[in-house]
PDB file of all heavy atoms in Angstrom:
ATOM      1  N   MET Y 100     -42.792-143.678 -54.795  1.00  0.00           N
ATOM      2  CA  MET Y 100     -42.999-143.351 -53.388  1.00  0.00           C
ATOM      3  C   MET Y 100     -41.945-142.355 -52.912  1.00  0.00           C
ATOM      4  O   MET Y 100     -42.247-141.449 -52.144  1.00  0.00           O
ATOM      5  CB  MET Y 100     -42.967-144.612 -52.537  1.00  0.00           C
ATOM      6  CG  MET Y 100     -43.388-144.364 -51.113  1.00  0.00           C
ATOM      7  SD  MET Y 100     -43.459-145.847 -50.120  1.00  0.00           S
ATOM      8  CE  MET Y 100     -44.871-146.647 -50.838  1.00  0.00           C
ATOM      9  N   LEU Y 101     -40.719-142.523 -53.374  1.00  0.00           N
ATOM     10  CA  LEU Y 101     -39.653-141.573 -53.018  1.00  0.00           C
ATOM     11  C   LEU Y 101     -39.792-140.264 -53.777  1.00  0.00           C
ATOM     12  O   LEU Y 101     -39.666-139.192 -53.200  1.00  0.00           O
ATOM     13  CB  LEU Y 101     -38.280-142.178 -53.334  1.00  0.00           C
ATOM     14  CG  LEU Y 101     -37.646-143.076 -52.302  1.00  0.00           C
ATOM     15  CD1 LEU Y 101     -36.248-143.467 -52.756  1.00  0.00           C
ATOM     16  CD2 LEU Y 101     -37.604-142.451 -50.935  1.00  0.00           C
ATOM     17  N   SER Y 102     -40.036-140.354 -55.067  1.00  0.00           N
ATOM     18  CA  SER Y 102     -40.098-139.136 -55.880  1.00  0.00           C
ATOM     19  C   SER Y 102     -41.270-138.248 -55.484  1.00  0.00           C
ATOM     20  O   SER Y 102     -41.205-137.030 -55.639  1.00  0.00           O
ATOM     21  CB  SER Y 102     -40.154-139.471 -57.367  1.00  0.00           C
ATOM     22  OG  SER Y 102     -41.334-140.178 -57.680  1.00  0.00           O
ATOM     23  N   SER Y 103     -42.315-138.865 -54.936  1.00  0.00           N
ATOM     24  CA  SER Y 103     -43.467-138.059 -54.516  1.00  0.00           C
ATOM     25  C   SER Y 103     -43.116-137.129 -53.363  1.00  0.00           C
ATOM     26  O   SER Y 103     -43.826-136.164 -53.097  1.00  0.00           O
ATOM     27  CB  SER Y 103     -44.632-138.962 -54.114  1.00  0.00           C
ATOM     28  OG  SER Y 103     -44.300-139.710 -52.957  1.00  0.00           O
ATOM     29  N   ALA Y 104     -42.011-137.395 -52.693  1.00  0.00           N
ATOM     30  CA  ALA Y 104     -41.577-136.550 -51.581  1.00  0.00           C
ATOM     31  C   ALA Y 104     -40.789-135.331 -52.059  1.00  0.00           C
ATOM     32  O   ALA Y 104     -40.515-134.427 -51.261  1.00  0.00           O
ATOM     33  CB  ALA Y 104     -40.717-137.369 -50.615  1.00  0.00           C
ATOM     34  N   ALA Y 105     -40.441-135.277 -53.334  1.00  0.00           N
ATOM     35  CA  ALA Y 105     -39.557-134.222 -53.841  1.00  0.00           C
ATOM     36  C   ALA Y 105     -40.145-132.817 -53.692  1.00  0.00           C
ATOM     37  O   ALA Y 105     -39.489-131.918 -53.158  1.00  0.00           O
ATOM     38  CB  ALA Y 105     -39.191-134.492 -55.300  1.00  0.00           C
ATOM     39  N   VAL Y 106     -41.348-132.607 -54.160  1.00  0.00           N
ATOM     40  CA  VAL Y 106     -41.928-131.260 -54.135  1.00  0.00           C
ATOM     41  C   VAL Y 106     -42.199-130.802 -52.702  1.00  0.00           C
ATOM     42  O   VAL Y 106     -41.716-129.741 -52.288  1.00  0.00           O
ATOM     43  CB  VAL Y 106     -43.194-131.164 -55.023  1.00  0.00           C
ATOM     44  CG1 VAL Y 106     -43.896-129.825 -54.831  1.00  0.00           C
ATOM     45  CG2 VAL Y 106     -42.821-131.378 -56.488  1.00  0.00           C
ATOM     46  N   PRO Y 107     -42.938-131.590 -51.896  1.00  0.00           N
ATOM     47  CA  PRO Y 107     -43.141-131.126 -50.520  1.00  0.00           C
ATOM     48  C   PRO Y 107     -41.823-131.039 -49.745  1.00  0.00           C
ATOM     49  O   PRO Y 107     -41.643-130.130 -48.921  1.00  0.00           O
ATOM     50  CB  PRO Y 107     -44.068-132.172 -49.894  1.00  0.00           C
ATOM     51  CG  PRO Y 107     -44.451-133.114 -50.951  1.00  0.00           C
ATOM     52  CD  PRO Y 107     -43.696-132.788 -52.179  1.00  0.00           C
ATOM     53  N   GLY Y 108     -40.900-131.939 -50.020  1.00  0.00           N
ATOM     54  CA  GLY Y 108     -39.593-131.894 -49.353  1.00  0.00           C
ATOM     55  C   GLY Y 108     -38.832-130.623 -49.695  1.00  0.00           C
ATOM     56  O   GLY Y 108     -38.204-130.005 -48.826  1.00  0.00           O
ATOM     57  N   ALA Y 109     -38.878-130.219 -50.957  1.00  0.00           N
ATOM     58  CA  ALA Y 109     -38.198-128.988 -51.375  1.00  0.00           C
ATOM     59  C   ALA Y 109     -38.822-127.768 -50.699  1.00  0.00           C
ATOM     60  O   ALA Y 109     -38.117-126.836 -50.288  1.00  0.00           O
ATOM     61  CB  ALA Y 109     -38.257-128.844 -52.894  1.00  0.00           C
ATOM     62  N   ILE Y 110     -40.138-127.782 -50.553  1.00  0.00           N
ATOM     63  CA  ILE Y 110     -40.814-126.667 -49.885  1.00  0.00           C
ATOM     64  C   ILE Y 110     -40.420-126.624 -48.408  1.00  0.00           C
ATOM     65  O   ILE Y 110     -40.128-125.553 -47.862  1.00  0.00           O
ATOM     66  CB  ILE Y 110     -42.346-126.775 -50.064  1.00  0.00           C
ATOM     67  CG1 ILE Y 110     -42.704-126.589 -51.546  1.00  0.00           C
ATOM     68  CG2 ILE Y 110     -43.078-125.755 -49.191  1.00  0.00           C
ATOM     69  CD1 ILE Y 110     -44.135-126.939 -51.892  1.00  0.00           C
ATOM     70  N   LEU Y 111     -40.391-127.784 -47.765  1.00  0.00           N
ATOM     71  CA  LEU Y 111     -39.972-127.838 -46.358  1.00  0.00           C
ATOM     72  C   LEU Y 111     -38.518-127.401 -46.203  1.00  0.00           C
ATOM     73  O   LEU Y 111     -38.162-126.720 -45.237  1.00  0.00           O
ATOM     74  CB  LEU Y 111     -40.179-129.239 -45.784  1.00  0.00           C
ATOM     75  CG  LEU Y 111     -41.634-129.669 -45.601  1.00  0.00           C
ATOM     76  CD1 LEU Y 111     -41.717-131.151 -45.274  1.00  0.00           C
ATOM     77  CD2 LEU Y 111     -42.323-128.824 -44.537  1.00  0.00           C
ATOM     78  N   LEU Y 112     -37.692-127.762 -47.166  1.00  0.00           N
ATOM     79  CA  LEU Y 112     -36.286-127.343 -47.136  1.00  0.00           C
ATOM     80  C   LEU Y 112     -36.187-125.817 -47.262  1.00  0.00           C
ATOM     81  O   LEU Y 112     -35.356-125.186 -46.601  1.00  0.00           O
ATOM     82  CB  LEU Y 112     -35.495-128.033 -48.247  1.00  0.00           C
ATOM     83  CG  LEU Y 112     -33.998-127.761 -48.271  1.00  0.00           C
ATOM     84  CD1 LEU Y 112     -33.340-128.243 -46.973  1.00  0.00           C
ATOM     85  CD2 LEU Y 112     -33.364-128.457 -49.475  1.00  0.00           C
ATOM     86  N   ALA Y 113     -37.053-125.235 -48.077  1.00  0.00           N
ATOM     87  CA  ALA Y 113     -37.065-123.771 -48.203  1.00  0.00           C
ATOM     88  C   ALA Y 113     -37.423-123.122 -46.867  1.00  0.00           C
ATOM     89  O   ALA Y 113     -36.893-122.063 -46.521  1.00  0.00           O
ATOM     90  CB  ALA Y 113     -38.052-123.336 -49.291  1.00  0.00           C
ATOM     91  N   GLY Y 114     -38.290-123.754 -46.102  1.00  0.00           N
ATOM     92  CA  GLY Y 114     -38.601-123.239 -44.771  1.00  0.00           C
ATOM     93  C   GLY Y 114     -37.451-123.449 -43.804  1.00  0.00           C
ATOM     94  O   GLY Y 114     -37.133-122.578 -42.989  1.00  0.00           O
ATOM     95  N   THR Y 115     -36.804-124.597 -43.913  1.00  0.00           N
ATOM     96  CA  THR Y 115     -35.668-124.914 -43.041  1.00  0.00           C
ATOM     97  C   THR Y 115     -34.529-123.929 -43.239  1.00  0.00           C
ATOM     98  O   THR Y 115     -33.861-123.528 -42.290  1.00  0.00           O
ATOM     99  CB  THR Y 115     -35.181-126.356 -43.324  1.00  0.00           C
ATOM    100  OG1 THR Y 115     -36.260-127.246 -43.041  1.00  0.00           O
ATOM    101  CG2 THR Y 115     -33.993-126.729 -42.492  1.00  0.00           C
ATOM    102  N   THR Y 116     -34.305-123.521 -44.488  1.00  0.00           N
ATOM    103  CA  THR Y 116     -33.216-122.580 -44.812  1.00  0.00           C
ATOM    104  C   THR Y 116     -33.671-121.125 -44.743  1.00  0.00           C
ATOM    105  O   THR Y 116     -32.934-120.227 -45.121  1.00  0.00           O
ATOM    106  CB  THR Y 116     -32.646-122.896 -46.208  1.00  0.00           C
ATOM    107  OG1 THR Y 116     -33.705-122.809 -47.166  1.00  0.00           O
ATOM    108  CG2 THR Y 116     -31.995-124.272 -46.244  1.00  0.00           C
ATOM    109  N   ARG Y 117     -34.904-120.908 -44.289  1.00  0.00           N
ATOM    110  CA  ARG Y 117     -35.481-119.577 -44.083  1.00  0.00           C
ATOM    111  C   ARG Y 117     -35.708-118.785 -45.377  1.00  0.00           C
ATOM    112  O   ARG Y 117     -35.793-117.566 -45.355  1.00  0.00           O
ATOM    113  CB  ARG Y 117     -34.646-118.737 -43.101  1.00  0.00           C
ATOM    114  CG  ARG Y 117     -34.412-119.390 -41.770  1.00  0.00           C
ATOM    115  CD  ARG Y 117     -35.735-119.480 -40.998  1.00  0.00           C
ATOM    116  NE  ARG Y 117     -35.506-120.016 -39.662  1.00  0.00           N
ATOM    117  CZ  ARG Y 117     -35.937-121.202 -39.260  1.00  0.00           C
ATOM    118  NH1 ARG Y 117     -36.608-121.977 -40.072  1.00  0.00           N
ATOM    119  NH2 ARG Y 117     -35.713-121.622 -38.032  1.00  0.00           N
TER     120      ARG Y 117
END
Side-chain angles (χ1 to χ4, degrees):
M100 189 176 290
L101 275 185
S102 64
S103 66
V106 172
I110 294 169
L111 291 170
L112 184 61
T115 299
T116 58
R117 305 292 184 248

